[in-house]
Each structure stands twice: as structure tokens, then as C-alpha cells.
Amino acid sequence: MTADILFYIIIGIITINFIKDKILDSLNAKHYNDPIPEELSDVYDEDDYAKSQAYKATNYGFNLWTSLFSFAITLAFLLLDGFEFVDNLARSVSDNPVIVGLLFFGIIMIASDIITTPFSYYKTFVIEERFGFNKTTKKTFLLDKLKGLLMLAILGGGILAVVIWFYQLTGNQFWLYAWGIVTFFTVFMNMFYSKLIVPMFNKQKPLEEGELRQKISDYAKSVGFSLSKIFVIDGSKRSTKANAYFSGFGSEKRVTLYDTLINDLEDEEIVAVLAHEVGHYKRKHIIFNLTTSILLTGLTLYILSIFISNPLLSNAIGVETPSFHVGLIAFGLLYSPISELTGLIMNYVSRVFEYQADDYAKNTYMAEPLITSLKKLSKNSLSNLTPHRAYVFMHYSHPTLLDRVRNLRK
Ligand SMILES: [Zn+2]
């Protein structure tokens, strides 16, 4: 195996992945105008349906151009030895492997952020704006960007620095220590994400006493679920799209409702959505997902430790001086077909879990309000009612609306 062959394998992986995605997108787009299934005929009226068709077509075009652009940039960067250039730049500042690694990733992150920002700006202020979703101000957009970058620098940079340091100290044994750190971080974030990170971006306050809170408590009590932490978040600050999610476990478990969800849905529908979330918890989906992701991380780090000290990895992407940080990028590219595969499996499992959570809501509460809430949420996000099967199989973490309605009515 020479570096040249590895280089062409990497180019091949990136190209095949790009073509595969474009084929799936176009398959999906061919079905945008399929007749709407009987069960879903009440989701849109004629005007809204026309609007959803236009929204789908606009996004399809936008995604085509952005992905083509990023594919071209990635190939150009590889072919023009961009990694060698950035690595030399970082090495001109310091000899310390931790600092060089941090600078290397820092430069790449900032450059890619500068390149992609015009696209996300256009998506938010032109496309989402045109279809009436956008509520973000330019100030919020900019602040989100800066806060996101700062968090990435502190958390991502911190973990990277510690992992490189472990590698310097323990060689190929580093993966065990890295796994420990990443596991601690994952569990910690799962527990305290809502407490520590969310307040940086949103205002959240406990759901006020009243009919809705009472109905939620009554339901929770009826299934023996202690739920004292119910929060409302100002999602309307950024978008009209609605959401609800569950986070943490043990005494830290809490439910977060978007204010947009409370506006769009009736009380019974909100309780049904919560019953679905409680279903995820009761069926142990949250613990399963957490455990699986920790085990997968361990496996990936172990495989990484087998290859990371091989200089071929760095040479494969055109960098002469082998190093941990460059090897990490090359490994990430070579490993992507495997992570694609594990992603597929996780999507499949996630769709099974969604049915189980729906069944739980059906059995412990009611099916009908969940059906009407899912329909309203689909309508309010102008979602696609007729996705292609292959596209669903590859990309969807939730079953289609049609499949969920059919399952709930079974
Ligand atoms: Zn769910």
C-alpha cells in the first residue's frame, strides 16, 4: 500500500458518497408531486399544498448547489495539498504537538465556517424568510455564530488537546484514556445540556401552573412517571417551526416544549406528544442510545489506535511530516463508509423506537390527538408527505407521517 493508492481511495470515497447522495435526492424529488395518500388528505388545504411544493423544490435546488460547491472545494483542497499548507502554517508557530494540532484544526474550522456562512445566511434570510418561517434577526444570527464558535473552541479544543496529550504520553494506549474522557463528556452533556448550554442560546422558564400543566401532571402520574421539570423555551425567537424534546435522566430528566408548540397545538395534543416522549424514556431508548454511542466511540477509537501511528495516513492526504492531528483527518475520511453504515443502522433502530414510543402513547393515552398533532406539525413545517422509500431508508430517523398514522390507527 502506498500513499498514492490511499489518496485515490479517499478521492473515490468522497466521490461515490457525493454521487450516491445526489441519486437519492433526485429520486426523492421525482416523487414530490405524487398524489397524497387518503389518510393524509386533511393535512394541507390547496394553498398550503402549493406552498409546500414550492418549498420542497426551492430546498432541492439550494441543496444541490451547496453540496456541489462543498464537493468541489473538498476535492480542490485535497488535490492542491491544502492540508500540507495548513500543517506548515501551524508548525511555523510552534513545535509543541498539542499547539500545532489545535492551530491546524482551528484554521480549518474557521476557514470552513467563513466559506459556509453565506450559504446558511441565504438559507435563513432568503429561503426560510420567503416561506414565512424565519424569525431570526441578523443580530441573533451573528451572536449564534459567535457563541457556537466559542463553544467549539473551548469544548472541542479542550478534548482535542487532552487526546493529543494522551497520545504523546501513552502512544497507542491513548484510545482507552480518550474513550474515558469522551464518555464522561457525553454523559455529562446528556445530563446538563439543558441547564448549561441551552440558556446560552434561549430563554427557558418552567411551564406555568394552569390547565395544561395539570393535564400533563395527571398523565405523568397515571403512568407512574415523576416529571417535575417541564420547561418552555422561546423557539419563536428563531423560527415558527415547533418542537419538543426530552433530556437528561434520573433526577435531571426534564421535558422542554417550544413556545411555538404550545401555540400550535391543543392541550390534549401536547399531552399526547409528551406521552410519546415518556414512551422513549420508559422503553429505555434514551439509555440504549447513550450506551450504543459510547460503545461505538470506543470501537472507533480502538480502530483509530491501530492505524494512527502509521505515517502512511498523513502521507495519504499529502502531508510529509506525520502527526496525530493529520492522521485523524485521513482516518476520518477513510472510515466514513463504516460510519455511514453504522449511521444507517442507527436510523433503522431509531425508526423502530419511534413506533414503540407512538404505541406507548396510544396505549397509555390516546392515538387520535397524537395523529392530529403530527399532522399539524407536518403542515406547519411544510414537510414532504410523499418521500421516496430509498430516501427514507437512508436518511430518516423517524418513520414517514403516513407510516406513523397507519401504525397509530392499527
Ligand atoms: Zn420520538
Side-chain angles (χ1 to χ4, degrees):
M1 184 74 81
T2 68
D4 275 350
I5 296 175
L6 267 184
F7 177 76
Y8 289 113
I9 291 177
I10 288 173
I11 298 281
I13 288 173
I14 295 172
T15 309
I16 290 170
N17 200 35
F18 175 75
I19 294 171
K20 180 213 77 191
D21 275 343
K22 291 312 108 189
I23 291 175
L24 278 172
D25 288 352
S26 82
L27 265 183
N28 202 39
K30 278 207 186 87
H31 291 262
Y32 283 166
N33 298 314
D34 280 5
I36 297 179
E38 174 65 39
E39 293 97 320
L40 305 181
S41 59
D42 57 348
V43 173
Y44 292 119
D45 61 29
E46 215 167 291
D47 281 354
D48 286 331
Y49 189 59
K51 199 171 152 197
S52 87
Q53 299 293 77
Y55 186 55
K56 285 182 283 188
T58 305
N59 276 324
Y60 176 61
F62 176 75
N63 290 337
L64 189 63
W65 285 110
T66 47
S67 58
L68 201 62
F69 179 77
S70 84
F71 175 64
I73 291 271
T74 310
L75 280 195
F77 195 75
L78 275 166
L79 291 167
L80 298 172
D81 285 337
F83 289 115
E84 168 82 337
F85 176 77
V86 176
D87 193 51
N88 285 333
L89 207 60
R91 283 177 192 287
S92 70
V93 178
S94 170
D95 295 327
N96 183 308
V98 175
I99 294 173
V100 174
L102 286 175
L103 280 172
F104 178 83
F105 274 101
I107 295 169
I108 289 176
M109 287 295 173
I110 289 172
S112 85
D113 200 68
I114 291 171
I115 294 171
T116 54
T117 295
F119 291 98
S120 63
Y121 182 91
Y122 183 86
K123 167 95 182 153
T124 308
F125 293 105
V126 178
I127 298 180
E128 296 290 289
E129 184 79 38
R130 189 190 307 156
F131 289 92
F133 291 127
N134 181 43
K135 292 281 172 266
T136 309
T137 61
K138 291 184 177 143
K139 187 181 158 202
T140 306
F141 182 83
L142 184 69
L143 281 176
D144 281 357
K145 257 260 114 57
L146 294 176
K147 285 186 246 177
L149 278 175
L150 191 69
M151 253 178 46
L152 185 70
I154 295 171
L155 300 177
I159 291 185
L160 181 72
V162 172
V163 171
I164 296 178
W165 184 64
F166 284 148
Y167 182 65
Q168 300 303 318
L169 285 181
T170 66
N172 286 5
Q173 293 294 309
F174 83 95
W175 75 274
L176 265 173
Y177 301 94
W179 191 23
I181 280 281
V182 174
T183 300
F184 172 79
F185 183 75
T186 310
V187 174
F188 182 82
M189 271 299 156
N190 236 282
M191 294 281 279
F192 298 108
Y193 176 80
S194 296
K195 228 182 220 171
L196 297 178
I197 308 294
V198 173
M200 291 175 58
F201 294 90
N202 283 89
K203 287 201 185 73
Q204 52 183 0
K205 50 179 200 288
L207 175 63
E208 47 194 60
E209 292 300 330
E211 232 176 294
L212 176 60
R213 180 145 197 144
Q214 191 56 46
K215 285 176 186 166
I216 292 172
S217 305
D218 289 347
Y219 167 76
K221 230 176 263 159
S222 77
V223 291
F225 188 77
S226 73
L227 183 62
S228 53
K229 295 184 170 121
I230 310 169
F231 285 85
V232 181
I233 194 175
D234 59 342
S236 59
K237 176 182 170 185
R238 296 195 179 76
S239 167
T240 60
K241 291 177 178 171
N243 201 1
Y245 62 88
F246 199 99
S247 57
F249 40 80
S251 61
E252 280 303 322
K253 66 180 186 289
R254 64 160 82 191
V255 158
T256 306
L257 305 169
Y258 278 48
D259 55 355
T260 39
L261 188 91
I262 295 182
N263 279 334
D264 293 350
L265 301 185
E266 304 295 327
D267 285 1
E268 270 191 355
E269 292 170 330
I270 296 171
V271 179
V273 169
L274 280 178
H276 170 100
E277 297 299 331
V278 172
H280 278 309
Y281 193 86
K282 288 267 186 178
R283 303 296 303 264
K284 307 231 172 359
H285 298 160
I286 295 170
I287 286 292
F288 176 90
N289 287 339
L290 191 60
T291 317
T292 313
S293 103
I294 288 170
L295 290 177
L296 273 178
T297 305
L299 181 70
T300 309
L301 283 169
Y302 172 70
I303 300 173
L304 172 68
S305 77
I306 299 173
F307 296 104
I308 192 68
S309 48
N310 193 328
L312 265 182
L313 220 43
S314 294
N315 300 158
I317 53 174
V319 179
E320 260 177 61
T321 323
S323 64
F324 185 87
H325 58 271
V326 177
L328 199 58
I329 297 239
F331 177 80
L333 293 167
L334 286 165
Y335 194 72
S336 63
I338 297 174
S339 47
E340 183 95 358
L341 189 71
T342 50
L344 263 185
I345 297 170
M346 288 305 271
N347 265 348
Y348 177 80
V349 172
S350 165
R351 291 194 299 268
V352 172
F353 285 175
E354 289 307 317
Y355 285 126
Q356 292 182 354
D358 279 352
D359 287 343
Y360 185 87
K362 176 168 70 175
N363 295 331
T364 61
Y365 192 63
M366 285 179 276
E368 246 354 273
L370 187 54
I371 291 175
T372 53
S373 71
L374 291 174
K375 284 182 175 178
K376 278 188 191 170
L377 294 175
S378 291
K379 174 185 183 258
N380 293 354
S381 57
L382 295 178
S383 70
N384 180 13
L385 300 185
T386 54
H388 190 272
R389 281 285 149 200
Y391 191 88
V392 173
F393 181 76
M394 301 288 281
H395 290 302
Y396 274 40
S397 61
H398 287 53
T400 65
L401 179 62
L402 179 65
D403 288 338
R404 291 181 74 178
V405 169
R406 284 185 176 157
N407 174 61
L408 281 163
R409 291 230 168 102
K410 246 191 337 218

